[in-house]
């Protein structure tokens, strides 16, 4: 181990990323910022492409454009959150509330993620390993899969390469604490149930849709498309025994997959549940207007029946002369609907729609509804059930009649780590990342040579403080080296921005911690390597080439 990869302790390695906008640059970006004891920066722009090079400079766009929710909004609901959650490394989610509440109430839940075996597992993958393991330790069913079909079809890897990489992913996952007895490890190519489910899901998605989501075109391999439905099946696989909240920890590049899986889970359902006020179908925006009219009118005349015609008249009064925007169009269509329904009374109800139920299942549903109900061709309106009760009932009938009854999968998103050389951490640039297989000394050296958020000179650093928020070395502390020790992470941060910490010493400390981590990790890998045969995962494909 030498020091010659780094300038003397007093010299600073300037950030090479002065031109890359920092995630934290905007004071209004409160929710997309890392907490003071977590820091990160990214590259150019938002591009969510599962097979391209995804970069995210501005995590806010993920919230605004894609509807990912801010993790900090659910943080309080999570019992003893993981440090990656506390530090804002896990920054976003979809419906994680479901998981948090299952954890609190000791209800069943699952966590699943998958790994494309295209190279060595590195410290970016460790985030996901840790997330799966943490949920397992919190009582969740845990699943980790090797996405070998995807690696073969989308990345063109040979089966020999895939086998070797798969083995390495599995060993690191085990070394980090995954319990293979309690959880399930599988490869896509070996899981018949996943493939059967993929086939069924494929019947609900068509080419135009994949084209729109993934930019597929006439040249796209059929196998590549098959790997997409396989991933959809992976995501829903934990629910094959029974529906349960399932969280999929991933990077934001996988969000297109998450959205599609949520759509497909929905499309597989026999019934849909919505709220309504009258016999006709209204969309969400129209329903809101009708609801508003209903509330106002029934408050004004508590003893009278509010009829559709009355609501139409009330909404007429809301019209803004000359307006032609979306709101105005919705208002028009709502008024027309209500007019046509005329004397029909408005009454809040919970509607259960028949989507793909058999006649028998629909009959059974109608039968099972307690209290007042009104049956139509393709839906039934219930007047004494809450929405939750209706959803529960619909799911039970579906399960009794051989349906899946899927819940929509939840997800959590972690930040991409910045590469040690600045820019993106990439498997194809060895110096940019630390592989979990790197020789511990090599790991030490890579950290010592990393780009920092330091100032040009030690003097300036003492005066102005370092830019921990833009420092890949600080990220190493926050994402990995400080582990569960928030105080330590905060100390590094505070000392850095306060000008007490200089980059040479800071990197030395990080490099030593990295070396220790790798030594320990690799020891554990070696122990597992001897026991790998006992596991129920085949690491030798016997496929023809
Ligand atoms: N597509 C993922 C990747 O590129 C791998 C993957 C396959 C996956 N199936 C999954 C991820 C299910 C999460 C859940 O890394
Ligand atoms: Fe330098 Fe450490 Fe601060 Fe990064 S965190 S800028 S390496 S002192």
């Amino acid at each position: 181990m030498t020091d010659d990869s780094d300038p003397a302790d007093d010299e600073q390695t300037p950030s090479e990323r002065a031109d890359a906008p920092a995630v934290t640059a905007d004071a209004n970006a409160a929710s997309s910022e890392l907490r003071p004891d977590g820091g990160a920066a990214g590259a150019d722009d938002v591009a969510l492409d599962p097979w391209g090079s995804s970069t995210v400079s501005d995590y806010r766009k993920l919230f605004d454009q894609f509807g990912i929710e801010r993790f900090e909004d659910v943080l309080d609901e999570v019992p003893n959150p993981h440090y990656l959650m506390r530090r804002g490394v896990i920054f976003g989610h979809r419906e994680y509330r479901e998981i948090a509440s299952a954890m609190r109430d000791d209800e069943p839940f699952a966590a699943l993620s998958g790994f494309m075996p295209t190279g060595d597992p590195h410290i970016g993958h460790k985030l996901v390993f840790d997330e799966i393991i943490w949920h397992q330790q919190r009582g969740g069913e845990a699943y980790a899969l090797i996405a070998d079909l995807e690696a073969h079809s989308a990345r063109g890897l040979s089966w020999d390469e895939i086998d070797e990489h798969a083995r390495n992913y599995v060993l690191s996952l085990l070394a980090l604490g995954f319990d293979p007895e309690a959880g399930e490890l599988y490869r896509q190519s070996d899981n018949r149930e996943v493939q059967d489910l993929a086939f069924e899901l494929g019947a609900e998605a068509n080419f135009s849709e994949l084209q729109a989501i993934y930019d597929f075109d006439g040249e796209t391999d059929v196998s590549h498309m098959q790997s997409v439905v396989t991933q959809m099946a992976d995501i829903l696989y934990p629910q094959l025994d029974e529906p349960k909240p399932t969280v999929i920890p991933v990077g934001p590049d996988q969000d297109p997959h998450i959205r599609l899986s949520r759509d497909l889970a929905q499309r597989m359902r026999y019934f849909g549940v919505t709220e309504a006020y009258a016999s006709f179908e209204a969309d969400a925006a129209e329903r809101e207007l009708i609801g508003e009219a209903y509330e106002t009118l029934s408050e004004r005349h508590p003893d009278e029946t509010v009829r559709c015609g009355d609501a139409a008249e009330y909404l007429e009064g809301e019209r803004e002369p000359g307006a032609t925007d979306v709101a105005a169009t919705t208002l028009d269509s709502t008024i027309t609907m209500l007019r046509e329904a005329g004397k029909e009374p408005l009454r809040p109800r919970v509607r259960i729609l028949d989507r793909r139920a058999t006649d028998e299942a629909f009959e059974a549903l109608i039968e099972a509804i307690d209290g007042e109900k009104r049956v139509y061709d393709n839906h039934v309106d219930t007047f004494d059930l809450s929405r939750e009760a209706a959803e529960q009932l619909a799911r039970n009938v579906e399960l009794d009649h051989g349906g899946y009854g899927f819940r929509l999968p939840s997800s959590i998103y972690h930040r991409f780590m910045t590469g040690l050389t600045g820019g993106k951490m990439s498997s194809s640039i060895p110096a940019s990342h630390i592989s979990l297989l790197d020789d511990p000394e090599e790991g030490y050296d890579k950290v010592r040579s990393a780009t920092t958020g330091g100032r040009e000179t030690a003097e300036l650093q003492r005066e102005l403080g370092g830019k921990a928020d833009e420092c890949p070395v600080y990220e190493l502390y926050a994402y990995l080296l400080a582990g569960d020790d928030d105080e330590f992470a905060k100390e590094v941060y505070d000392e850095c921005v306060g000008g007490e910490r200089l980059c040479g010493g800071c990197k030395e400390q990080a490099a030593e911690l990295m070396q220790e981590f790798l030594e320990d990790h690799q020891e554990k890998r070696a122990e597992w390597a001897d026991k790998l045969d006992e596991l129920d995962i085949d690491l030798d494909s016997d496929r023809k080439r």
Side-chain angles (χ1 to χ4, degrees):
M1 214 176 307
T2 60
D3 263 347
D4 55 19
S5 56
D6 190 60
D9 235 33
D10 263 351
E11 263 173 71
Q12 298 292 311
T13 316
S15 167
E16 287 160 18
R17 294 171 300 120
D19 56 343
V23 175
T24 48
D26 183 342
N28 297 325
S31 318
S32 59
E33 272 176 33
L34 275 193
R35 279 139 217 289
D37 48 358
D44 306 299
D45 79 293
V46 184
L48 296 185
D49 175 356
W51 301 286
S53 67
S54 290
T55 54
V56 177
S57 66
D58 189 342
Y59 285 86
R60 274 171 305 171
K61 289 199 190 138
L62 297 177
F63 306 125
D64 302 342
Q65 289 177 7
F66 300 98
I68 290 175
E69 289 181 70
R70 295 172 151 80
F71 195 83
E72 62 178 15
D73 295 346
V74 276
L75 187 62
D76 286 349
E77 296 169 40
V78 183
N80 300 315
H82 191 273
Y83 69 83
L84 294 172
M85 298 172 172
R86 302 197 299 264
R87 291 181 200 156
V89 176
I90 294 172
F91 69 91
H93 76 101
R94 288 187 193 272
E95 255 186 292
Y96 192 70
R97 259 179 206 99
E98 299 276 320
I99 308 295
S101 102
M103 267 193 280
R104 285 195 314 268
D105 303 344
D106 245 328
E107 300 278 350
F109 68 97
L112 171 141
S113 197
F115 305 90
M116 238 209 294
T118 51
D120 288 347
H122 59 61
I123 53 175
H125 299 113
K126 178 181 180 287
L127 301 179
V128 184
F129 294 148
D130 285 346
E131 291 172 75
I132 298 175
I133 293 163
W134 182 82
H135 284 95
Q136 181 175 47
Q137 291 165 349
R138 292 309 168 93
E141 283 176 19
Y143 299 79
L145 66 104
I146 301 297
D148 57 353
L149 294 179
E150 185 181 356
H152 190 64
S153 63
R155 288 285 166 78
L157 265 79
S158 75
W159 289 102
D160 283 341
E161 288 169 301
I162 287 174
D163 284 346
E164 186 199 326
H165 296 146
R167 188 168 181 281
N168 282 329
Y169 276 84
V170 168
L171 283 177
S172 278
L173 179 67
L174 293 165
L176 289 168
F178 184 86
D179 176 354
E181 307 273 312
E184 186 173 339
L185 269 173
Y186 71 88
R187 15 188 331 162
Q188 288 177 323
S189 64
D190 257 354
N191 192 327
R192 179 62 206 244
E193 282 176 298
V194 161
Q195 285 169 35
D196 288 350
L197 178 56
F199 184 83
E200 300 294 337
L201 295 169
E204 291 293 323
N206 62 31
F207 176 66
S208 310
E209 190 175 17
L210 299 193
Q211 188 174 30
I213 301 173
Y214 302 109
D215 242 354
F216 285 175
D217 59 26
E219 302 293 303
T220 307
D221 295 350
V222 174
S223 299
H224 191 170
M225 295 188 232
Q226 196 181 334
S227 81
V228 170
V229 287
T230 305
Q231 177 156 354
M232 298 305 109
D234 289 331
I235 291 173
L236 296 169
Y237 176 61
Q239 301 196 59
L240 274 185
D241 287 346
E242 60 167 337
K244 60 176 81 68
T246 305
V247 60
I248 315 294
V250 282
D253 60 314
Q254 297 292 306
D255 188 54
H257 290 309
I258 300 292
R259 277 178 275 151
L260 179 58
S261 74
R262 288 168 61 85
D263 280 350
L264 291 178
Q266 182 76 54
R267 281 180 222 162
M268 296 301 279
R269 297 299 308 277
Y270 282 18
F271 306 108
V273 176
T274 61
E275 282 158 57
Y277 289 89
S279 59
F280 52 84
E281 270 308 310
D283 67 23
E286 294 162 342
R287 203 155 52 228
E288 202 172 305
L289 289 175
I290 301 172
E292 180 198 312
Y294 173 78
E295 299 298 333
T296 317
L297 292 174
S298 46
E299 242 167 63
R300 271 190 212 159
H301 316 283
D303 304 322
E304 286 173 33
T305 308
V306 182
R307 299 188 189 270
C308 290
D310 306 333
E313 213 162 289
Y314 167 85
L315 290 176
E316 279 292 352
E318 302 283 287
R319 256 203 239 261
E320 289 183 35
T324 53
D325 57 0
V326 184
T329 328
T330 310
L331 192 56
D332 281 346
S333 63
T334 313
I335 292 172
T336 310
M337 244 178 227
L338 288 166
R339 278 249 153 75
E340 279 166 13
K343 292 241 170 292
E344 185 187 335
L346 280 181
R347 264 180 82 193
R349 63 197 71 190
V350 173
R351 172 165 299 165
I352 308 179
L353 300 146
D354 178 358
R355 288 235 183 82
R356 50 193 301 277
T358 54
D359 290 348
E360 249 174 39
F362 190 47
E363 286 307 316
L365 174 82
I366 294 165
E367 197 57 27
I369 293 170
D370 283 335
E372 194 183 338
K373 57 193 150 191
R374 212 164 288 167
V375 179
Y376 301 83
D377 267 359
N378 284 315
H379 70 261
V380 42
D381 283 355
T382 76
F383 295 87
D384 299 317
L385 285 187
S386 68
R387 188 179 174 140
E388 291 74 51
E391 262 161 22
Q392 190 62 49
L393 186 74
R395 173 170 283 119
N396 288 342
V397 171
E398 178 176 343
L399 291 170
D400 282 348
H401 287 78
Y404 296 100
F406 289 134
R407 284 164 171 263
L408 302 197
S410 306
S411 51
I412 48 179
Y413 305 93
H414 59 78
R415 285 167 186 267
F416 293 125
M417 281 178 108
T418 309
L420 296 174
T421 45
K424 198 187 173 240
M425 182 173 283
S426 155
S427 320
S428 51
I429 313 170
S432 79
H433 71 270
I434 290 173
S435 154
L436 296 175
L437 310 186
D438 274 351
D439 196 71
E441 257 125 76
E442 197 181 336
Y444 173 96
D445 288 339
K446 282 185 184 176
V447 177
R448 290 274 353 195
S449 328
T451 303
T452 72
R455 308 281 171 180
E456 317 291 310
T457 65
E459 206 181 20
L460 271 177
Q461 176 108 343
R462 288 202 187 88
E463 198 182 311
L464 302 171
K467 292 184 267 185
D469 288 316
E470 297 170 37
C471 178
V473 179
Y474 178 67
E475 265 182 43
L476 293 178
Y477 283 104
Y479 286 52
L480 188 156
L481 301 173
D484 209 37
D485 189 346
D486 287 348
E487 263 168 53
F488 178 41
K490 191 157 170 15
E491 183 183 301
V492 173
Y493 186 91
D494 290 344
E495 287 178 4
C496 169
V497 299
E500 298 149 52
R501 202 171 246 270
L502 297 181
C503 296
C506 183
K507 286 206 277 186
E508 173 62 26
Q509 187 179 17
E512 281 170 18
L513 288 170
M514 184 61 78
Q515 181 170 356
E516 276 165 34
F517 162 73
L518 288 171
E519 276 161 6
D520 174 65
H521 181 66
Q522 289 168 17
E523 235 166 71
K524 293 194 179 120
R525 279 177 56 100
E527 284 164 27
W528 274 108
D530 299 332
K531 295 186 279 183
L532 214 46
D533 293 346
E534 298 160 24
L535 298 185
D536 196 18
I537 183 164
D538 181 5
L539 295 166
D540 295 303
S541 315
D542 49 11
R543 296 199 170 216
K544 297 211 191 303
R545 327 272 129 171

